[in-house]
Amino acid sequence: MLDQIGADSRLPLYLQLRDLLAAQIRAQKWQPGQPIPSEAELSQTYQVAVGTVRRAVETLMAEGLVERTHGRGTFVRKARFDNSLFRFFRFETADGRPLAPKSVIVSRKLIDAPRQAAEALHLKPRAKVIELLRLRMVEQQPVLAENIYLCAQRFKALLEKAPEDFGDLLYPLYERECGLIVASARETLTVETVTKAQAQLLGLPEKTPVVVIERTALGSDGQPLEWRQSRGAASKFRYSAEIR
Amino acid sequence: MLDQIGADSRLPLYLQLRDLLAAQIRAQKWQPGQPIPSEAELSQTYQVAVGTVRRAVETLMAEGLVERTHGRGTFVRKARFDNSLFRFFRFETADGRPLAPKSVIVSRKLIDAPRQAAEALHLKPRAKVIELLRLRMVEQQPVLAENIYLCAQRFKALLEKAPEDFGDLLYPLYERECGLIVASARETLTVETVTKAQAQLLGLPEKTPVVVIERTALGSDGQPLEWRQSRGAASKFRYSAEIR
DNA sequence: TAGTGGTCTAGACCACATG
DNA sequence: ATGTGGTCTAGACCACTAT
């Protein structure tokens, strides 16, 4: 890996430094939650002005790779968006209290990867994957049904643990049991009508429209770790955006 | 309006300057598309370092209020998102050529504001509004049906012009005919099933799910100018996002 | 060639967090 | 008290756009 900077490239210094730091973060030189060297230190080791270091780190910050706190330092950011699905759905209790989504693993199987899952995870068509069916509950009512696919090889630790003990959040589980850290994700939303099986799971009438959120979760090195489809009643869907 | 800076506030200089410039943009001191003074000039008139000016202008840029081009200058940004709806829908021709959406005004009426429109436009419940029904066409097929509501008072020029001459884009029309410039908008997406009338307009079977995009378009002063609902077949809906 | 924004430096001082 | 990031300055030089 490059550990020097400047010299030849036509790229601005601060971008070269950004790339260099980003590469080291991807390579886990510093763990998520841990601090990277201070501005002064980076300025010293790479022989660039502090202002240039700032510019590089600000770029990383804008990209969400690090977080800065005034008197404390700059830290590699931990992703925590396991329940970000709820960004797209509004599940209100009757009196509008905040929701406390519970997870129930309905089944866990070792299967040949379905086509879409294999593609998303960059696996060969017949590779083995772990399939989890999972329900997210709000006040004892199922609101989201999820099909989750994981490369069997990398996640084999999950086959030896009782699904009841998985807990409500999967990403911390992946980290704890498999040493795999989800750093980012891509989501695509579409609308379908439910199949019979899904309707039953979610307690919906047949042919109800549902919003499908397909998510590919990526590690810090950009490799796909998990692919999932989440389905919830379209009537509960709401998404707002500002445009300019 | 403040035309000096520094002295009292606990806010950083560059934010004070940002606010000051933003206020002048809102007040149309410079027209959209026109340049604001150069960094050197701003530095001179407000007696701050060029670096501080840069910081302020970069903030405005991040907020989408201005655009910079290297050797040319910094310009007040014109909004141009009339067809941003298509961000949420994918209408492919059979061979995947780029689409050229056409607009047809189906009707124009002067009516009492419906409740939602009145709320969105900050009008009294029975105020008069112009209601436009409009179809967006791709390859002679209707793909989006829109209900558009405008305060009759501010948009009365549109009552005296033939709807056939409105053209494909409304926002430039508003600017040309009424002197009203759309600067930003808020959109909310939900899913419904079509009414009979809508199904007929869009050539869809009854009870087809549709995605509804409600948009409130705002002027540069933040006042609501237009409220519209756009409906398109949910099967054509697709939205992608990166999350971290 | 003149004027603009873009990069980079070197350093002062401030504000915040921690021991 | 120390070390961190945050603000601000002053100026050099470069790269792009226009004329």
Side-chain angles (χ1 to χ4, degrees):
Chain A
M1 182 196 305
L2 266 167
D3 61 340
Q4 229 186 344
I5 216 171
D8 58 336
S9 173
R10 266 79 63 227
L11 233 56
L13 263 187
Y14 78 93
L15 282 181
Q16 295 180 48
L17 181 52
R18 182 229 87 102
D19 290 347
L20 213 154
L21 294 173
Q24 296 182 69
I25 288 171
R26 270 196 302 277
Q28 308 248 30
K29 173 159 174 177
W30 309 288
Q31 295 288 321
Q34 292 310 110
I36 72 173
S38 72
E39 297 181 345
E41 206 172 332
L42 291 170
S43 154
Q44 174 64 29
T45 68
Y46 294 108
Q47 292 295 306
V48 296
V50 188
T52 305
V53 173
R54 285 192 65 74
R55 192 89 195 269
V57 177
E58 271 163 14
T59 308
L60 290 173
M61 173 110 171
E63 296 168 327
L65 284 178
V66 300
E67 281 174 334
R68 327 188 76 178
T69 325
H70 197 148
R72 298 211 312 135
T74 303
F75 302 83
V76 178
R77 181 156 179 262
K78 324 184 175 192
R80 50 180 176 305
F81 47 82
D82 195 280
N83 48 4
S84 79
L85 291 182
F86 293 92
R87 181 164 64 103
F88 294 115
F89 290 93
R90 56 184 202 302
F91 298 115
E92 304 136 346
T93 61
D95 53 339
R97 273 180 295 124
L99 43 79
K102 289 281 173 192
S103 298
V104 179
I105 305 288
V106 176
S107 82
R108 173 188 58 189
K109 289 180 191 158
L110 186 63
I111 60 171
D112 290 346
R115 186 187 54 77
Q116 280 186 290
E119 273 176 25
L121 295 175
H122 296 170
L123 298 175
K124 300 208 181 88
R126 305 285 300 274
K128 290 287 178 192
V129 295
I130 301 172
E131 180 197 58
L132 302 176
L133 300 186
R134 183 207 206 197
L135 280 178
R136 312 292 290 269
M137 321 284 288
V138 171
E139 306 213 308
Q140 279 81 52
Q141 297 300 310
V143 293
L144 284 179
E146 304 190 295
N147 293 35
I148 298 166
Y149 299 90
L150 305 162
C151 167
Q153 206 162 18
R154 307 175 78 175
F155 285 88
K156 58 178 179 292
L158 295 190
L159 290 171
E160 289 146 24
K161 192 175 168 73
E164 301 82 57
D165 301 333
F166 279 10
D168 286 333
L169 300 178
L170 288 179
Y171 293 172
L173 180 80
Y174 299 164
E175 185 172 349
R176 215 164 46 234
E177 303 292 326
C178 314
L180 295 168
I181 297 174
V182 172
S184 69
R186 274 193 308 267
E187 290 185 342
T188 297
L189 278 67
T190 53
V191 180
E192 290 179 357
T193 45
V194 280
T195 64
K196 267 186 198 164
Q198 290 157 5
Q200 200 158 29
L201 268 176
L202 286 169
L204 296 174
E206 265 189 76
K207 299 195 179 163
T208 307
V210 288
V211 170
V212 185
I213 304 178
E214 293 184 355
R215 177 198 288 177
T216 305
L218 310 168
S220 57
D221 55 357
Q223 287 299 304
L225 297 178
E226 175 210 66
W227 184 71
R228 65 166 79 175
Q229 288 183 309
S230 307
R231 290 181 169 82
S235 60
K236 297 291 187 187
F237 170 77
R238 170 178 296 264
Y239 176 65
S240 293
E242 299 272 339
I243 61 177
R244 292 173 300 208
Chain B
M1 186 196 300
L2 265 166
D3 61 339
Q4 231 188 342
I5 214 170
D8 57 336
S9 173
R10 265 79 65 228
L11 233 57
L13 261 189
Y14 77 93
L15 282 181
Q16 295 178 48
L17 180 51
R18 183 228 87 101
D19 290 347
L20 212 154
L21 293 173
Q24 295 181 71
I25 289 172
R26 269 196 302 276
Q28 307 247 33
K29 173 159 175 177
W30 310 289
Q31 294 289 321
Q34 293 308 113
I36 72 173
S38 72
E39 296 181 345
E41 206 172 332
L42 291 170
S43 154
Q44 174 63 32
T45 68
Y46 295 109
Q47 292 294 306
V48 296
V50 187
T52 305
V53 173
R54 285 193 65 74
R55 192 85 196 269
V57 176
E58 271 163 12
T59 307
L60 290 173
M61 173 112 172
E63 297 169 326
L65 284 179
V66 300
E67 282 174 334
R68 328 188 75 177
T69 325
H70 197 143
R72 297 212 311 134
T74 303
F75 302 82
V76 177
R77 181 155 179 261
K78 321 183 180 197
R80 48 178 178 310
F81 46 82
D82 194 280
N83 48 5
S84 80
L85 291 181
F86 293 92
R87 182 163 66 102
F88 293 116
F89 290 92
R90 56 183 202 303
F91 298 114
E92 304 136 346
T93 62
D95 53 339
R97 274 180 295 123
L99 44 79
K102 290 280 173 193
S103 297
V104 179
I105 305 287
V106 176
S107 82
R108 173 188 57 189
K109 289 180 192 156
L110 185 65
I111 60 171
D112 290 346
R115 187 186 54 77
Q116 281 186 288
E119 274 176 24
L121 295 174
H122 295 170
L123 297 175
K124 299 207 180 90
R126 306 287 299 276
K128 289 287 178 190
V129 294
I130 301 173
E131 180 197 57
L132 302 175
L133 299 186
R134 183 206 205 197
L135 279 179
R136 311 292 290 267
M137 322 282 289
V138 171
E139 305 211 308
Q140 280 81 49
Q141 298 300 310
V143 295
L144 284 180
E146 305 189 295
N147 294 34
I148 299 166
Y149 299 90
L150 306 162
C151 167
Q153 204 161 19
R154 308 176 76 173
F155 286 87
K156 57 178 179 293
L158 296 189
L159 291 171
E160 287 146 26
K161 193 178 166 73
E164 301 82 57
D165 301 333
F166 278 10
D168 285 334
L169 299 178
L170 288 180
Y171 293 170
L173 179 79
Y174 298 164
E175 185 172 349
R176 214 163 46 237
E177 302 292 328
C178 314
L180 295 168
I181 298 174
V182 172
S184 70
R186 275 194 308 267
E187 290 185 341
T188 299
L189 278 68
T190 54
V191 181
E192 290 180 356
T193 45
V194 279
T195 63
K196 268 185 197 166
Q198 290 157 5
Q200 201 158 28
L201 267 177
L202 287 168
L204 296 174
E206 265 189 77
K207 299 196 179 163
T208 308
V210 287
V211 170
V212 185
I213 303 178
E214 292 184 354
R215 178 199 285 176
T216 306
L218 311 168
S220 57
D221 56 356
Q223 287 299 304
L225 297 178
E226 175 210 63
W227 185 70
R228 65 167 78 177
Q229 288 184 308
S230 306
R231 291 182 168 81
S235 61
K236 298 291 187 188
F237 170 78
R238 172 178 293 267
Y239 176 66
S240 293
E242 299 273 338
I243 59 176
R244 292 173 298 210

